[in-house]
């Protein structure tokens, strides 16, 4: 289980992909990947949609609201899943917060 | 198309020329002067690599900043969707060039440091004021807004100041610090008896790195690469021969790893002679040690064979004379004694200046 102690503290912070990270579609598999200095991280569509919004202008709550329009999930569930996901990416040093 | 053996990473060694003379350099120690690939040849190589499935390119050398067309090559790599990393000593970087590198689409800069203390660092590099110029380069990288990571090769002469090295990386605002114990190929093998640390030094360093990794989590990623001479098990070299990575050296030879060039008896092809895809899929050199079929005992019946892939072919060739042997870094290798004796054979005091310093080809 990822550590969620930061998730509520960060709900109004704005995540941004680190300068050294890049999100793109792998032309061979057609699936999204997150590229950083020494890794190719395979991610799923939902992860891709979350990370696409990590541009430093949206708060975590904004991202959750946006996803609410696309997924038929309760807001609390979405919030938990988005926070967990961002925490995983943050643990790898691939997010900056403002 | 999904290849069973798909390359994800290309190491593009643009030149063997370098301003520094580090005695642990992994470049071939028997370097011959060869004609470097030109801009067009590199552009084609980058294009072909992306078609083959490569997602990341590391521009390395030698010193890749010595190539005036570096910016063009970064642009070409980005145009075909590659993630770009520059592996540099930093000594000749200017702020204008750093800005141009950023504009060209560079994703990350990895600057090497030799030590934290300037006098020692310059003695290791074999060049006066190298350390000072690296500090300036790191500041320039930050100032123009490029992502900075640091790499420090560890050996007997700098491993005891690991805490200071970590502090230096923190103070420079690096996002990542790679602490890599020397791997004994090329010049490093030639200088092994001087560079190899003691077991006590290595164990202490591993603890310091582990503490730093926890303390700095989320701020700076600390990666510690242990020496296979001290851990009794071989490294999963390149994640398997011809499986995920390829190297193109300055004159265009396509290699499964940067040091494979020195394996006797293997014939490699250049991108001038053959298409990259043919070399990757069909060449004898890339197929020679693919998968597990080639393995002798004790690898063949070993439960670890899909984990470490029998270790490193270059090391097997270098230390046993046969690249098809089990890597002698493995405690089950019949040749393991040569590694253990090198690791435990250190006595007396030695000076860095006694090393054979790297020469340009």
């Amino acid at each position: 289980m990822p550590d969620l102690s930061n998730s509520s503290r960060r709900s109004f912070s704005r995540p941004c992909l680190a300068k050294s990270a890049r999100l793109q579609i792998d032309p061979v598999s057609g699936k999204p990947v997150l590229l950083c200095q020494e890794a190719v991280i395979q991610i799923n569509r939902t992860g891709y949609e979350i990370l696409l919004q990590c541009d430093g202008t949206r708060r975590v709550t904004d991202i959750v609201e946006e996803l609410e329009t696309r997924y038929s999930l309760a807001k609390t569930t979405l919030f938990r899943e988005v926070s967990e996901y961002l925490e995983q990416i943050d643990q790898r040093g691939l997010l900056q917060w403002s | 198309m999904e290849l069973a053996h798909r390359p994800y990473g290309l190491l593009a060694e643009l030149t063997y020329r370098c301003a520094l003379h580090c005695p642990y350099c992994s470049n071939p120690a028997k370097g011959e002067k060869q004609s470097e690939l030109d801009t067009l040849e590199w552009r084609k190589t980058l294009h072909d690599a992306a078609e083959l499935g490569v997602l990341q390119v590391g521009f390395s050398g030698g010193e890749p900043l010595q190539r005036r067309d570096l910016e063009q090559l970064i642009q070409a790599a980005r145009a075909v969707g590659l993630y770009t990393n520059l592996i540099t000593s930093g000594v000749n970087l200017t702020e204008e060039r750093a800005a141009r590198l950023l504009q060209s689409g560079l994703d990350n800069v990895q600057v090497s440091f030799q030590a934290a203390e300037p006098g020692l660092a310059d003695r290791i590099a074999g060049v006066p004021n190298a350390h000072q110029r690296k500090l300036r380069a790191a500041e320039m990288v930050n100032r123009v807004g490029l992502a900075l990571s640091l790499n420090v090769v560890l050996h007997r002469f700098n491993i005891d100041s690991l805490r200071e090295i970590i502090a230096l990386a923190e103070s420079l605002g690096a996002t990542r610090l790679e602490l890599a114990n020397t791997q004994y190929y090329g010049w490093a093998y030639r200088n092994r008896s001087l560079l190899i640390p003691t077991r006590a030094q290595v164990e202490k360093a591993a603890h310091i790195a582990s503490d730093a990794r926890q303390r700095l989590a989320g701020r700076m990623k600390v990666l510690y690469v242990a020496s296979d001479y001290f851990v009794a098990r071989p490294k999963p070299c390149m994640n398997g021969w011809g499986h995920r990575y390829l190297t193109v050296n300055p004159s265009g030879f396509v290699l499964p790893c940067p040091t494979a060039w020195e394996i006797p008896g293997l014939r490699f092809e250049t991108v001038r002679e053959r298409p990259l895809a043919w070399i990757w899929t069909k060449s004898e050199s890339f197929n020679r040690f693919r998968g597990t079929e080639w393995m002798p005992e004790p690898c063949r019946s070993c439960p670890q064979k899909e984990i470490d892939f029998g270790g490193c072919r270059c090391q097997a060739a270098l230390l046993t004379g046969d690249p098809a042997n089990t890597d002698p870094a493995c405690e089950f290798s019949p040749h393991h004694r040569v590694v253990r004796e090198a690791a435990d054979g250190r006595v007396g005091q030695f000076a860095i200046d006694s090393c054979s310093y790297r020469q340009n080809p």
Side-chain angles (χ1 to χ4, degrees):
Chain A
M1 269 299 281
D3 175 16
L4 282 180
S5 54
N6 285 328
S7 60
S8 51
R9 178 168 66 78
R10 280 181 166 160
S11 54
F12 296 105
S13 299
R14 295 172 171 85
C16 183
L17 271 186
K19 279 185 285 190
S20 60
R22 192 140 57 79
L23 190 61
Q24 69 179 45
I25 302 293
D26 174 5
V28 175
S29 65
K31 292 176 182 161
V33 283
L34 182 58
L35 303 175
C36 58
Q37 192 190 337
E38 279 185 6
V40 173
I41 304 165
Q42 319 274 351
I43 55 178
N44 61 25
R45 279 282 157 191
T46 317
Y48 185 62
E49 285 184 32
I50 294 170
L51 294 178
L52 268 183
Q53 297 186 66
C54 294
D55 60 2
T57 70
R58 296 173 173 88
R59 295 171 297 189
V60 176
T61 49
D62 300 331
I63 296 173
V64 171
E65 268 176 34
E66 172 61 31
L67 291 177
E68 227 183 336
T69 65
R70 302 180 209 174
Y71 295 88
S72 52
L73 280 172
K75 194 168 192 166
T76 49
T77 312
L78 266 177
F79 179 77
R80 195 183 65 235
E81 295 197 349
V82 169
S83 299
E84 278 182 13
Y85 190 73
L86 291 177
E87 203 59 42
Q88 279 178 36
I89 303 297
D90 189 55
Q91 287 288 314
R92 305 186 73 139
L94 300 176
L95 284 181
Q96 288 165 344
W97 298 84
S98 54
Chain B
M1 177 184 68
E2 189 75 69
L3 295 165
H5 299 287
R6 169 186 169 181
Y8 280 95
L10 164 68
L11 190 71
E13 294 186 321
L14 299 182
T15 178
Y16 285 142
R17 289 171 285 147
C18 182
L20 305 191
H21 303 288
C22 310
Y24 52 72
C25 185
S26 62
N27 280 178
K30 289 170 287 208
E32 299 149 41
K33 208 171 181 78
Q34 290 154 339
S35 72
E36 290 179 4
L37 294 185
D38 64 22
T39 311
L40 216 61
E41 288 170 319
W42 272 118
R43 292 175 68 109
K44 183 173 186 326
T45 302
L46 293 164
H47 172 272
D48 292 353
E51 280 209 326
L52 203 48
V54 167
L55 292 173
Q56 297 179 303
V57 57
F59 291 107
S60 178
E63 173 51 66
L65 287 172
Q66 299 228 4
R67 290 279 302 222
R68 291 172 187 273
D69 56 358
L70 177 61
E71 288 86 336
Q72 289 181 62
L73 300 181
I74 292 168
Q75 284 167 21
R78 284 299 306 268
V80 293
L82 301 183
Y83 178 97
T84 53
N85 184 27
L86 175 64
I87 300 157
T88 177
S89 74
V91 291
N92 290 319
L93 189 66
T94 61
E95 187 145 348
E96 286 151 4
R97 192 144 199 219
R100 283 207 305 275
L101 294 170
L102 176 71
Q103 283 158 15
S104 304
L106 186 60
D107 290 299
N108 191 76
V109 181
Q110 176 184 298
V111 178
S112 66
F113 276 83
Q114 277 61 42
E117 197 272 304
L120 174 62
D122 291 349
R123 279 215 310 288
I124 296 169
V127 175
N129 289 323
H131 187 75
Q132 189 58 35
R133 290 153 80 187
K134 284 162 178 277
L135 291 176
R136 282 207 301 271
E139 284 161 14
M140 289 171 201
V141 167
N142 284 329
R143 214 156 37 229
V144 302
L146 278 162
L148 172 72
S149 62
L150 255 58
N151 171 281
V152 183
V153 174
L154 302 177
H155 45 76
R156 180 180 182 82
F157 303 103
N158 66 0
I159 198 167
D160 290 331
S161 56
L162 194 55
R163 282 200 178 84
E164 290 79 1
I165 290 170
I166 294 164
L168 171 72
E170 278 185 77
S171 74
L172 291 173
T175 57
R176 184 173 184 278
L177 169 63
E178 186 176 303
L179 300 164
N181 275 280
T182 301
Q183 303 207 21
Y184 297 99
Y185 308 98
W187 291 93
Y189 180 69
R190 193 178 274 198
N191 291 306
R192 187 181 70 178
S193 66
L194 293 165
L195 293 172
I196 199 163
T198 63
R199 197 170 287 276
Q201 280 183 305
V202 168
E203 283 168 5
K204 187 171 161 223
H207 281 295
I208 293 171
S210 169
D211 287 349
R213 185 167 53 242
Q214 288 170 28
R215 180 171 60 83
L216 297 165
R219 278 192 286 154
M220 179 173 81
K221 191 168 178 188
V222 179
L223 186 78
Y224 180 80
V225 184
S227 168
D228 55 359
Y229 272 65
F230 292 93
V231 293
R233 283 303 167 86
K235 54 184 176 282
C237 205
M238 307 312 285
N239 250 306
W241 182 270
H243 184 48
R244 290 289 178 245
Y245 301 97
L246 58 93
T247 295
V248 177
N249 84 3
S251 42
F253 281 95
V254 186
L255 309 168
C257 86
T259 54
W261 179 248
E262 296 200 296
I263 297 178
L266 278 186
R267 186 179 167 274
F268 296 103
E269 281 89 7
T270 75
V271 292
R272 286 168 172 153
E273 300 166 281
R274 293 276 196 174
L276 192 67
W278 184 91
I279 298 174
W280 175 262
T281 52
K282 299 263 171 43
S283 71
E284 193 195 334
S285 57
F286 269 83
N287 283 299
R288 178 70 184 83
F289 301 111
R290 263 196 176 125
T292 54
E293 283 305 301
W294 61 272
M295 287 180 177
E297 292 294 352
C299 291
R300 182 171 281 273
S301 55
C302 180
Q304 301 275 324
K305 70 178 172 186
E306 303 274 3
I307 294 166
D308 61 34
F309 313 105
C312 172
R313 299 303 88 226
C314 304
Q315 188 149 276
L318 197 58
L319 300 184
T320 77
D322 184 353
N325 278 334
T326 294
D327 184 341
C330 180
E331 60 184 325
F332 302 120
S333 157
H335 298 92
H336 183 56
R337 200 167 53 91
V338 297
V339 166
R340 215 176 42 238
E341 283 176 1
D344 289 329
R346 303 290 291 112
V347 282
Q349 292 296 313
F350 296 89
I352 179 80
D353 318 75
S354 310
C355 287
S356 305
Y357 280 75
R358 174 195 190 277
Q359 305 298 318
N360 278 314

